[in-house]
């Protein structure tokens, strides 16, 4: 398969080669001084500050907003509106606020923080972190600059919540989709479906930042056009570089490619009915699929096999002994099926989507390999909206899914593993995971790294055994930019979608 | 004449009503729940209570017939509702985007007519000659090349390689007229290419047919100069079917520039329809489809009336 040139590969390479070198000299157009143009993959469906509304919305939100904390370029938590933060013996968190101003000139106070937490933790808030925030039992404001949070049980990962780009602090009484915040840029204008323009906030609390005076975020929904716009010099940075174009961006001297392995592809199962209510059958699926072919077909060799839980090998919580537990082994797959009572295989449906090539290609590769162990898969490839609905309702047998975890802490995997959360297309349907849910709770309550390592190791052991999801492959997530752009960087691993935090340091030339 | 127009307008209204009803029902038939979609962004589960509350807010919990009646009643009062996504009035969005789509189509029609009619006439005069063969070949090629292929190729040549023009996007004319026209050039040119093929072939066929007519032979026999015959007798008469076809093509284009708008990132109406369907934004989808169908039937009506005025042999009496 590696050296086998399929039609898509051929089209991609011939397109990329762009055999038009006979066309005259290239003239780079002069840059506007101080304006950075950022190519978005879609127009934000909403600017709702606490809801999860996708990468593009996240980027715009962190231009205008800031939370108590954020992440630095190494992916470590750093100070933002909170100057310092610490935790007491009993698990009480205390945040000390710095002197910061809202875009309207008024000071950021502890009361604003308390109001934000109270609003976002309401049961119907639809906030991304609502379930986590609901464990905060009280928010006290002893003075203007101090916030004290108590939780129902100790929460070691609480700082991760307040560093998330969906947990910015809002001025008390603000509309939730307002872009009036305390961030490095102020909103100038939005042209719905077209672009969002922001300008530097002179009152921003970091000395000398932001570096550029204006950022114009322009939507290029078509991925090929996004690359074309970058090559033509229409934009300085683009998000979501399509995999087939990564090579051509990397090889272009006028451009830079910045990628990280973070998001991953995996299978979810409908465990509410046979045959996938049987962990042996679920594990068999993992042993039947050769992951390298997914990396090749769906990600143009910019993927890496994932044969365990999506914990990267760079993480201190990585367990080397599980690294290849779900390895490609068709014989083992067949014997597991026989043991489960399906010696001749069975028929089932696989849900994916035709809207995104990577989802469809992943499903096609899985279908081919599963047929080799007697499992006849019928593909169901509706457009994304329908796929989401079917996933939430459990109208499928197996489904292909791709996502990034909430953060680089193993706790971030709860959104794809924890069966005690409400039904979601990101998780398997009807999957009872009592041991895993308990391990997540224990891991959140512990402040001792060694102890947490042991907890998550046990969690992974159970997951390998019961296969609540099945890892398929890591995928590279890339930003492309003009060679003269500096300061902006792709944050590591699962944090890739938080990269907008670094736009305050981005500069041209 | 007036009676004819009145009758045709009634038929048009009936057609638009059918379209709106079908679209409304189809939207509710296909799976995908707008509230759930809005709340399931970025791979997190939508909270069932939040979905219920939002459905209530959107008025989706009422029985379908009631939603339908409300919608139709709204249309009669000029209220097309508000977007599910951000509450923006649908009529405003249409007002903003329709002119942009029309701009591309009208520019394309002007370019295509300015080149296509002379080209087709030329091919007809040289019928079966080498020039005719070349022109006909290119017209067929242009007609059978999908617009997204043409679009991708011109972007590759003019934006990525030559860097003469931006790859795509939009700047309002009021903000930067020069940039606006630069951005308009590629999408309008791409639409013009397929239109050009149609107009060229139609002009050629039409001129050929007129050249055979008796009055042309008479004029020739009288010794009228060739150029004058063409100008006075041939082209004028040959233009009627060309105009008809142009009118019909324009109607199709109003809803058919989806791909062009997508490829060039031109924020018009038809491209916007795609994102509205994607988000199951019912009020927007119905509003946009209704606008397109109104324009379509209106254009057909105009074409028929103009034809009748140009050609006294066309009878409007039923």
């Amino acid at each position: 398969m590696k050296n086998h040139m399929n039609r898509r590969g051929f089209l991609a390479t011939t397109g990329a080669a762009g055999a038009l070198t006979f066309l005259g000299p290239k003239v780079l157009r002069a840059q506007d001084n101080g304006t950075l143009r950022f190519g978005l993959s879609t127009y934000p469906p909403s600017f709702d500050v606490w809801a999860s509304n996708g990468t593009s919305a996240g980027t715009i939100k962190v231009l205008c907003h800031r939370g108590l904390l954020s992440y630095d370029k190494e992916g470590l938590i750093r100070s933002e509106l909170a100057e310092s933060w610490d935790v007491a013996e009993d698990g009480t968190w205390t945040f000390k606020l710095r002197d910061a101003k809202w875009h309207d000139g008024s000071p950021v106070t502890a009361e604003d923080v308390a109001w934000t937490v109270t609003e976002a933790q309401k049961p119907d808030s639809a906030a991304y972190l609502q379930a986590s925030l609901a464990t905060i039992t009280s928010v006290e404001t002893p003075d203007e600059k101090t916030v004290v949070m108590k939780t129902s049980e100790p929460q070691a990962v609480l700082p991760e919540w307040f560093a998330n780009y969906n947990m910015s602090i809002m001025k008390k009484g603000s509309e939730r989709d307002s872009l009036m915040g305390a961030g490095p840029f102020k909103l100038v204008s939005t042209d719905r479906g077209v672009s969002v323009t922001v300008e530097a906030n002179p009152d921003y609390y970091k000395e000398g930042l932001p570096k550029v005076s204006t950022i114009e975020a322009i939507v290029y929904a078509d991925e090929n056009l996004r690359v074309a716009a970058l090559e033509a010099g229409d934009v300085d940075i683009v998000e979501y570089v399509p995999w087939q174009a990564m090579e051509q961006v990397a090889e272009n001297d006028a451009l830079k490619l910045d990628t990280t392995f973070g998001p991953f592809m995996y299978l979810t199962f409908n465990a509410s009915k046979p045959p996938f209510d049987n962990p042996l059958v679920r594990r068999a699926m993992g042993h039947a699929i050769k992951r390298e072919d997914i990396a090749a077909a769906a990600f143009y060799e910019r993927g890496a096999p994932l044969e365990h839980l999506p914990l990267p090998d760079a993480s201190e919580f990585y367990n080397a002994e599980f690294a290849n537990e779900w390895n490609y082994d068709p014989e083992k797959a067949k014997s597991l099926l026989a043991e489960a009572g399906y010696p001749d295989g069975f028929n089932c449906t696989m849900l994916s989507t035709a809207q995104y090539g990577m989802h469809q290609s992943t499903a096609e590769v899985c279908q081919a390999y599963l047929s080799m162990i007697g499992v006849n898969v019928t593909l169901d490839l509706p457009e994304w909206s329908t796929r989401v609905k079917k996933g939430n309702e459990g109208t499928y047998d197996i489904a292909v899914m791709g996502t990034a975890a909430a953060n680089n802490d193993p706790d971030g995997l709860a959104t794809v593993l924890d069966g005690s959360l409400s039904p979601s297309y990101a998780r398997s349907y009807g999957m009872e995971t009592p041991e895993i849910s308990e391990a997540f709770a224990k891991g959140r309550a512990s402040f001792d790294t060694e102890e947490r390592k042991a907890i998550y190791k046990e969690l992974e052991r159970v997951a390998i055994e019961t296969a609540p999801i099945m890892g398929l492959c890591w995928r590279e997530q890339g930003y492309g930019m003009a060679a003269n752009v500096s300061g902006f960087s792709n944050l590591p691993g699962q944090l890739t979608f938080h990269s907008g935090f670094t736009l305050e340091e981005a500069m041209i030339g | 004449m007036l009676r004819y127009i009145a009758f045709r307008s009634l038929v048009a209204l009936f057609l638009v009503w059918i379209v709106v009803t079908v679209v409304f029902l189809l939207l509710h038939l296909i799976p995908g729940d707008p509230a759930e979609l809005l709340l399931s962004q970025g791979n997190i589960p939508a909270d069932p209570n939040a979905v219920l509350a939002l459905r209530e807010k959107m008025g989706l919990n009422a029985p379908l017939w009631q939603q339908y009646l409300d919608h139709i009643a709204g249309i009669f009062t000029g209220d097309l509702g508000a977007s599910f996504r951000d509450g923006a009035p649908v009529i405003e969005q249409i007002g903003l985007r329709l002119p942009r789509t029309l701009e591309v189509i009208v520019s394309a029609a002007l370019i295509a007519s300015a080149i296509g009619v002379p080209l087709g006439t030329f091919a007809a005069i040289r019928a079966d000659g080498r020039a005719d063969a070349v022109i006909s070949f290119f017209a067929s090629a242009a007609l059978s090349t999908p617009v997204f292929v043409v679009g991708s190729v011109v972007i590759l040549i003019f934006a990525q390689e030559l860097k003469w023009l931006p790859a795509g996007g939009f700047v309002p004319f009021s903000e930067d007229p020069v940039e606006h026209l630069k951005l308009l050039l590629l999408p309008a040119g791409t639409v013009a290419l397929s239109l050009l093929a149609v107009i060229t072939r139609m002009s050629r066929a039409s001129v050929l047919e007129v050249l055979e007519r008796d009055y042309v032979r008479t004029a020739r026999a009288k010794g009228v100069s060739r150029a004058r015959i063409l100008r006075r007798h041939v082209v004028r008469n040959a233009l009627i079917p060309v105009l008809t076809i142009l009118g019909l093509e324009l109607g199709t284009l109003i809803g058919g520039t989806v791909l062009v708008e997508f490829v060039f990132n031109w924020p018009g109406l038809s491209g916007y329809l795609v994102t509205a369907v994607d988000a199951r934004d019912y009020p927007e989808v119905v509003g946009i489809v209704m606008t397109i169908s109104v324009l379509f039937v209106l254009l057909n009506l105009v074409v028929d009336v103009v034809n009748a005025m140009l050609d006294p042999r066309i009878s409007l009496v039923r």
Side-chain angles (χ1 to χ4, degrees), chain A residues 392-414:
Chain A
N392 288 340
E393 290 171 349
T395 343
Y396 66 92
D397 296 329
I398 328 179
V400 167
M401 186 58 201
T403 189
N407 50 52
N408 284 337
D409 190 277
D411 183 58
L413 290 174

Coordinates of all heavy atoms in Angstrom, one line a residue, chain A residues 392-414:
Chain A
N392 N -25.5 10.4 18.5 CA -26.1 10.7 19.8 C -27.2 9.8 20.2 O -27.5 9.5 21.3 CB -26.7 12.2 19.8 CG -25.6 13.2 19.9 OD1 -24.4 12.9 20.3 ND2 -25.9 14.4 19.5
E393 N -28.0 9.3 19.1 CA -29.1 8.4 19.4 C -28.7 6.9 19.4 O -29.6 6.1 19.7 CB -30.2 8.6 18.3 CG -30.8 10.0 18.3 CD -31.7 10.2 17.1 OE1 -31.6 9.5 16.1 OE2 -32.4 11.2 17.1
G394 N -27.5 6.6 19.0 CA -27.1 5.2 18.9 C -27.7 4.5 17.8 O -27.9 3.3 17.8
T395 N -28.0 5.2 16.6 CA -28.5 4.5 15.4 C -27.3 4.0 14.6 O -27.1 4.4 13.5 CB -29.3 5.4 14.6 OG1 -29.7 6.5 15.3 CG2 -30.6 4.7 14.0
Y396 N -26.5 3.0 15.2 CA -25.4 2.5 14.4 C -24.9 1.3 15.2 O -25.3 1.0 16.3 CB -24.3 3.5 14.3 CG -23.6 3.9 15.7 CD1 -22.5 3.3 16.1 CD2 -24.1 4.9 16.4 CE1 -21.9 3.6 17.3 CE2 -23.5 5.3 17.7 CZ -22.4 4.6 18.1 OH -21.8 5.0 19.3
D397 N -24.0 0.5 14.5 CA -23.3 -0.6 15.2 C -21.9 -0.2 15.6 O -21.5 -0.3 16.8 CB -23.3 -1.9 14.3 CG -24.7 -2.4 14.0 OD1 -25.6 -2.2 14.9 OD2 -24.9 -2.9 12.9
I398 N -21.1 0.2 14.6 CA -19.8 0.8 14.9 C -19.8 2.2 14.2 O -20.4 2.4 13.2 CB -18.6 0.0 14.2 CG1 -18.9 -1.5 14.1 CG2 -17.3 0.3 15.0 CD1 -17.8 -2.2 13.5
A399 N -19.0 3.1 14.8 CA -18.8 4.4 14.1 C -17.4 4.8 14.1 O -16.6 4.5 15.1 CB -19.7 5.4 14.8
V400 N -17.0 5.6 13.1 CA -15.7 6.2 13.0 C -15.8 7.6 13.6 O -16.7 8.3 13.3 CB -15.2 6.2 11.6 CG1 -13.9 7.1 11.5 CG2 -14.9 4.8 11.1
M401 N -14.8 7.9 14.4 CA -14.9 9.3 15.0 C -13.5 9.8 15.1 O -12.5 9.1 15.2 CB -15.5 9.1 16.5 CG -15.8 10.4 17.2 SD -16.9 11.5 16.3 CE -16.5 13.0 17.1
G402 N -13.4 11.2 15.1 CA -12.1 11.8 15.3 C -12.3 13.0 16.2 O -13.2 13.7 16.0
T403 N -11.3 13.2 17.1 CA -11.4 14.3 18.0 C -10.1 14.6 18.7 O -9.1 13.9 18.4 CB -12.5 14.1 19.1 OG1 -12.8 15.3 19.8 CG2 -12.1 13.0 20.0
A404 N -10.1 15.6 19.5 CA -8.9 15.9 20.4 C -9.5 15.9 21.8 O -10.7 16.3 22.0 CB -8.3 17.2 20.1
A405 N -8.7 15.4 22.7 CA -9.2 15.5 24.1 C -9.2 16.9 24.6 O -8.6 17.8 24.0 CB -8.3 14.6 25.0
A406 N -9.8 17.1 25.8 CA -9.9 18.5 26.3 C -8.6 19.1 26.7 O -8.4 20.3 26.6 CB -10.8 18.4 27.5
N407 N -7.6 18.3 27.1 CA -6.3 18.8 27.4 C -5.3 17.6 27.4 O -5.7 16.5 27.1 CB -6.3 19.5 28.8 CG -7.0 18.7 29.9 OD1 -6.6 17.5 30.1 ND2 -8.0 19.2 30.6
N408 N -4.1 17.9 27.8 CA -3.1 16.8 27.7 C -3.1 15.9 28.9 O -2.3 15.0 29.0 CB -1.7 17.4 27.5 CG -1.5 17.8 26.0 OD1 -2.2 17.3 25.1 ND2 -0.6 18.8 25.8
D409 N -3.9 16.3 30.0 CA -4.0 15.4 31.2 C -4.8 14.2 30.8 O -5.8 14.4 30.0 CB -4.6 16.2 32.3 CG -4.5 15.5 33.6 OD1 -5.3 14.7 33.9 OD2 -3.6 15.9 34.4
P410 N -4.5 13.0 31.4 CA -5.3 11.9 31.0 C -6.8 12.1 31.4 O -7.7 11.5 30.7 CB -4.7 10.8 31.9 CG -3.7 11.3 32.7 CD -3.4 12.7 32.2
D411 N -7.1 13.0 32.3 CA -8.5 13.3 32.6 C -9.2 13.9 31.4 O -10.4 13.7 31.3 CB -8.5 14.4 33.8 CG -9.9 14.7 34.2 OD1 -10.6 13.7 34.6 OD2 -10.3 15.8 34.1
G412 N -8.5 14.5 30.5 CA -9.1 15.0 29.3 C -9.7 13.9 28.4 O -10.5 14.2 27.5
L413 N -9.4 12.6 28.7 CA -10.0 11.6 27.9 C -11.4 11.1 28.4 O -12.0 10.3 27.7 CB -9.0 10.3 27.9 CG -7.7 10.5 27.1 CD1 -6.9 9.3 27.3 CD2 -8.0 10.7 25.6
A414 N -11.8 11.7 29.5 CA -13.1 11.4 30.0 C -14.2 11.6 29.0 O -15.1 10.8 28.9 CB -13.4 12.2 31.3

